[in-house]
Amino acid sequence: MITGQTTTKRLLVSGAVQGVGFRPFVYREANQRHLRGWVRNTPAGAELMVSGPVEAINDFIDAMRRHAPPAATIDRIEIGDGHLSEDATGFHIIASDHDGDICTRILPDRATCPDCAREIRDPTNRRHGYPFTNCTACGPRYSITLQLPYDRDHTTMRTFALCPECRREYEDPADRRFHAQPNACPACGPQLALWDRRGRVLAERHDALLEAAQCLLNGGVVAIKGIGGFHLMVDATNDKAVATLRERKHRAEKPLAVMIPDLETAKRHAMISESEARWLQSAIAPIVLVKKGVLPLAEDIAPGNPMIGLMLPYAPLHHLLMDEVRRPLVATSGNLSDEPICIDAHEALERLGGIADFFLVHNRPIAHPVDDSVMRVVLDRPLWLRVARGVAPLTLPRPTSTGTAPMLAVGAHMKSTLALATADHLVVSPHIGDLETIPAWEAFERNLETLEGLYETTPAIIACDRHPDYASSRYARRRHEAPVLVQHHHAHILAVMAEHQLDGPVLGFALDGTGYGDDGTIWGGEVLRVDRHGYRRVAHLRTFPLPGGDTAAREPRRSALGVLSELGLSPTPGDASGFSPREITLLTHALHHSINTARTSSMGRLFDAAASLLGVCHQSSYEGQAAMLLQAAAEHADAEGVGYPVHLSEGEPMVIDWAPIITGMMSDREAGISTALIAARFHQSIVDLIAAVAARFPDLPVVLGGGCFQNAWLLENTVRRFGERPVYWSVHLPPNDGCISVGQLIAAGWRASS
C-alpha cells in the first residue's frame, strides 16, 4: 500500500463511460489501491468520490486514462475537492443520480465479444445456445435505451426480472457481467419464436432457430429480428433463392449484403486485406465492401460489381444460426425499397408478409431502429457509406467556436440524418434514409423525438438545407419562425472541417449529385473558400442542361444527352442507347426550348453522362449505380489512364470546362480504345482538374466533401496527388448527404457566435 499524505477528491468523468464496464473497472482499480469512496452514473457521465494517499489517487486517475475498458472513451476528468465521512469503509458502486444536465454519450450497440461467443457454444455453460447472451463488453446499447443514465430500468430489458444467478453476476464486482444492463439467461431473458405469414407460432426457443435454419437451407426467405431491426435472409449460394428475394423485395440490381460464418470463409469468397479483416472482426462489425474472390456466391448478389458487402455475425443469434446453416447468407435490411427497417414483429408481418416465408422473432423490444453500418477501407482508413449500428449515435466534440447553445440540424432529403448540438458535443443520429415515403418520414420523426428526449434538450436554433422543397426543410420552417438556412455544398465542406477541428480558411471541393445553388440552379461541382465567416464560390463545373430535371438522376442517358447538346452535337441512339429515335427527337426539342430542363454544374451528373456515353449504364435501378459501374470499369483497366485535357477560365468564379474530357472520351471510343481504359482516363481527368484548381490557391489546405468521394478510386488518387500538402476528407462521417446535418450545425453555430 502506498503511504503518505491523504486527501479526498471528487472526480467527474465525461465521455463514453456508461454501458462499457467503466464502473466495475473503477471499482477494481480503486480497491487495488485500497482507496475508499464510491462511483455512480449521472446524466453527465460518471461521478466518483475517492479518499486515500495522494500518490495512490494520482496513480488511480492515471490508470483511468490509460487502461479504461476498450469501449470506453474519456473526454474529460474534472478534479475537485471532495468529502467522505471518516467511518466510510471500502469502495462501492452506488445508485445512479438522475438529476442534472445530460452530457454523457449514448453508446452504440456492440458485437458479441469472444467470451460470450465461447459460452453460447459450450454445452456445459448455462447460456449454451442462448441467443441473447451479452456482458459489459458487448450486446445491445442504443437500440434498447429508453432514457439516460444507462441503467437496466431505463432500457427495454426492464420487464425481464433477473433470476437469482443473473442477479448474482450483476451484483458481483469480480464478474464481467457486473452491472451489464441487458444481462439475461434462458431462465429469465427474452426468447425466440418462429411465425408463419399469419403470425401463427410454429416453434419456440431453440427449436425456432433450428426450423428457421432448415427453411434457409431449403431455399426459403426468412425475416429475422436482430438487435436493431429485421434482416431478410436467404442462402447466398442459391441463385433461385436470391432471385426470389430480389423479385419479392422489388430490388432489381442494388447489391445485397452477405453475412459470412467466419473470417476464413470470408477469405474464400473475397480478397480481404489485414485492415479490412480488422474491421470485419471489430466490435462495430460493419458491412465492409471488399473485392470479390475466386469462390463465387449467387450471381445476383452484386451483378456487374467487382465488390461485395460482407459482414460477420455480430449477435449471438447470428452465431447460432450460422453454426446450423454453415454457409453464407444474404442479410439485407428488413424493409421494402425506400422504406425504413422494421423493428416490431407485427409490423414486420404487415410490411414484409409478401416477401418472407417465415419470421424468426423475439420478445425483447427494440426502442430505436438501427440499420447496419456500411464502409470500405481507403488509404488504410475507414470510408463510411452509412453510419448506423455499432457507430451511431455518433458523438463528435463540439468546436468551441460554435458556442454552447443547444441546436438541432435536420439534414438533407436523401440519406437523412439528424444532428443535435449539446454544450460539449455534436450527436449524429443513425442513418434514417431518403425522406420519400410516409414510413421514412415517420422514422425521421421518431429519431428526432429520440435525440431530443434522451438528451432532454430543446434546441434554441434549428438549421436546415436551403432547398425550399426538402421535407426536412419544410419541417424546420414549421417548427421555427427563422431557421438557419445552410447551402448544401457549404454544409458538405463544414462537416469535414468539423471532423478535423478546422476553422478555415480552406479550399473545399464539394462534388456530388445535386444541391440547391445560390443562383437557383442545381449545383454539384463546387469549389468553395470556406472560413468561420462563410464561403465564396471560387470555381465550379461548367453547367449543362438536364432534360427532365430530377428524372436525370435515375436515367444517366439524359445527362449524356445534356452534355452532347451543350457541345452542339447531334445525339444518335448510339450516343445514348436506350432512347428510341422518337424519344431523342422529343428530348432534343425540349433541350433547345428549355422545356422541363434544368441547368446544373453537378459532378455526379457528369459521371452519369460519362457512364452512359461509354455504354456502362443508361438507366439506374439505384442511386449511384452509374458512377459505381464506371469506377468498376476504371479499376479493370490494364494500364494507368492519362487524363484528358483540363481547361480553367480566368477570373472568379473560375469555370472548369469538362468539354475536352467528353470530346476526348468520344474520340477514344471511336478509335476502339477499351471502355476500361477510357473510364480510367475519365477518372484521372477529375483528379487533374481538382489539382489544377487547387494550384491556384497554394496556401489553403484542401478539403474533399460530397458523395462523389464515395468513389474509392477518385478519393485515393486525389489524396495521393497532393503529396505533402494538407488534405482532409471524411473518416467518421459519410461523405454523402449523411454528413449534411453536422455541417448545418457548424454553420448555425458560427453564425450565432459571430
Side-chain angles (χ1 to χ4, degrees), residues 29 82 98 149 181 196 309 321 345 360 481 490 551 563 594 721:
E29 295 293 327
H98 297 168
Q181 308 307 339
D196 66 12
L321 187 65
L360 185 61
E481 60 182 13
H490 185 206
T551 305
V563 299
S594 298
R721 180 66 171 271

Side-chain angles (χ1 to χ4, degrees), residues 385-388 392 408-420 427-435 444 447-448 451 463 472 733-734 736-744:
L385 308 181
R386 184 168 70 200
V387 169
L408 170 71
V410 295
H413 188 74
M414 309 294 283
K415 295 179 170 60
S416 170
T417 61
L418 296 159
L420 187 71
V427 184
V428 190
S429 77
H431 166 85
I432 298 170
D434 302 344
L435 303 181
F444 173 93
N447 273 271
L448 183 62
L451 270 188
S472 54
L733 295 164
N736 59 44
D737 283 4
C739 76
I740 289 294
S741 58
V742 171
Q744 291 170 350

Side-chain angles (χ1 to χ4, degrees), residues 45 169 335 350 422 451 454 517 723 743:
E169 295 170 335
N335 57 7
E350 181 179 343
T422 66
L451 270 188
L454 286 176

Side-chain angles (χ1 to χ4, degrees), residues 118-131 133 186 206 320:
R118 281 191 293 269
E119 284 183 345
I120 63 174
R121 293 185 172 100
D122 180 1
T124 67
N125 192 283
R126 70 190 190 93
R127 288 187 173 86
H128 177 239
Y130 185 57
T133 299
H206 194 61
L320 295 169

Side-chain angles (χ1 to χ4, degrees), residues 11 104 136 138 147 254 354 358 366 371 389 452 483 545 625 629 685:
L11 311 178
T104 191
T136 54
C138 68
Q147 67 182 85
K254 188 175 182 179
F358 298 98
I366 297 172
D371 219 325
R389 177 193 49 76
E452 294 185 359
Q625 182 179 13
L629 296 178
S685 301

